[in-house]
Amino acid sequence: MRKPYLAGNWKLNLDQAGALDLVGKLREMVGQRTDVDVAVAPPYVYLPAVIEALKGSPIRVGAQNMADQVSGAYTGEVAGTMLSDIGCDFVILGHSERRAIYGETDKIVNAKVKLALDAGLDVILCAGETLDERQAGQTENVVHRHLIEGLAGIDAALSSRVTIAYEPVWAIGTGQVATPEQAGEVHTYLRGVLEGLWGDVAAETIRIQYGGSVKPSNVAELMAVEGVDGALVGGAALDADSFGAIVAFNS
Ligand code: 13P
């Protein structure tokens, strides 16, 4: 049985006071619950304050990105080792916004995944098709490539530190959530890809989150789908009541 994993990707939002207010409320709401895993991914600069505010809470803290290099002359970048140094638990990699807006290729994503795991960070690796790709019948090809190329050269022994987030690009920030059938089809497909890559034990263990317009009103329906093990939430993770309701989907 895979434990549900609900993570909030704050993207480029909130200020320090808002970040601390949000995690203070989440900390109360989550308490010491162990039946779900809960995580937040604030902007880099708020990570130390959020990590401090969540000390003693089971809520995990991660970054939204990291450098594809270890160190050196890379102005503006933050290395995986720096994130683990300040107490981050994980990093989100390969988000469609990074791919589309900042030109991240699967090769870059793969370099980051390797460096993150080397640095002791867990990884949420995102995969998902655009509307054009879906309409052209390319969904499986695209998510297959995101997984196979993103995870290339990574040993099955590290698979327990990887989570996959299926995020159809057309569902992100649009209010147009994937139907349970659409999510279920791709999650099942992705688990098969993981089985081919790392074997059946790893494929049964790895959690596959759904992301894209997850709200309190649709989370239970999505979580009821076979193979949907959690959610990666954008807009609805910026408010404590709304993310709290998502975390409490099963109560
Ligand atoms: P929304 O929940 O705002 O659609 O964003 C999803 C997402 O991109 C999470 O990484």
Side-chain angles (χ1 to χ4, degrees):
M1 191 58 201
R2 295 176 294 267
K3 190 194 281 196
Y5 185 9
L6 294 316
N9 173 10
W10 295 0
K11 307 190 182 182
L12 186 57
N13 292 297
L14 300 177
D15 56 15
Q16 179 147 280
L20 290 176
D21 182 60
L22 174 53
V23 293
K25 289 175 178 158
L26 286 178
R27 185 187 174 120
E28 295 262 305
M29 287 171 171
V30 171
Q32 292 300 322
R33 272 183 79 171
T34 53
D35 59 322
V36 290
D37 283 334
V38 181
V40 292
Y44 287 133
V45 291
Y46 302 137
L47 284 167
V50 167
I51 289 167
E52 180 63 30
L54 288 175
K55 279 226 169 90
S57 159
I59 300 174
R60 296 160 58 80
V61 184
Q64 302 169 18
N65 182 32
M66 56 173 261
D68 62 348
Q69 303 290 334
V70 177
S71 65
Y74 301 98
T75 301
E77 291 296 314
V78 174
T81 48
M82 297 170 181
L83 296 173
S84 57
D85 188 27
I86 62 158
C88 277
D89 301 302
F90 72 97
V91 60
I92 299 170
L93 295 173
H95 193 281
S96 60
E97 288 150 17
R98 300 293 322 166
R99 296 178 191 267
I101 305 169
Y102 300 100
E104 283 193 17
T105 61
D106 289 299
K107 197 161 175 261
I108 293 172
V109 174
N110 180 240
K112 293 185 179 190
V113 172
K114 287 178 174 159
L115 288 170
L117 293 169
D118 281 353
L121 298 167
D122 290 350
V123 168
I124 297 179
L125 173 65
C126 302
E129 81 289 0
T130 64
L131 187 57
D132 282 352
E133 289 164 342
R134 172 164 281 267
Q135 287 172 343
Q138 291 301 309
T139 299
E140 292 189 353
N141 283 345
V142 171
V143 297
H144 181 271
R145 193 185 71 232
H146 287 161
L147 251 62
I148 293 297
E149 296 190 15
L151 298 172
I154 290 157
D155 197 272
L158 294 173
S159 62
S160 63
R161 293 178 43 210
V162 175
T163 296
I164 305 299
Y166 169 53
E167 295 209 321
V169 179
W170 47 271
I172 295 177
T174 60
Q176 194 194 338
V177 65
T179 64
E181 293 70 30
Q182 287 171 324
E185 273 169 21
V186 180
H187 280 237
T188 300
Y189 175 74
L190 287 172
R191 205 168 298 284
V193 175
L194 291 171
E195 185 174 345
L197 183 67
W198 281 333
D200 53 353
V201 175
E204 273 309 305
T205 316
I206 293 175
R207 291 177 292 191
I208 307 180
Q209 299 170 318
Y210 166 81
S213 296
V214 174
K215 306 274 181 267
S217 57
N218 60 27
V219 64
E221 186 182 36
L222 288 160
M223 291 298 295
V225 177
E226 171 71 29
V228 174
D229 309 314
L232 185 55
V233 186
L238 297 172
D239 173 80
D241 288 336
S242 134
F243 192 54
I246 288 170
V247 167
F249 76 94
N250 58 354
S251 58

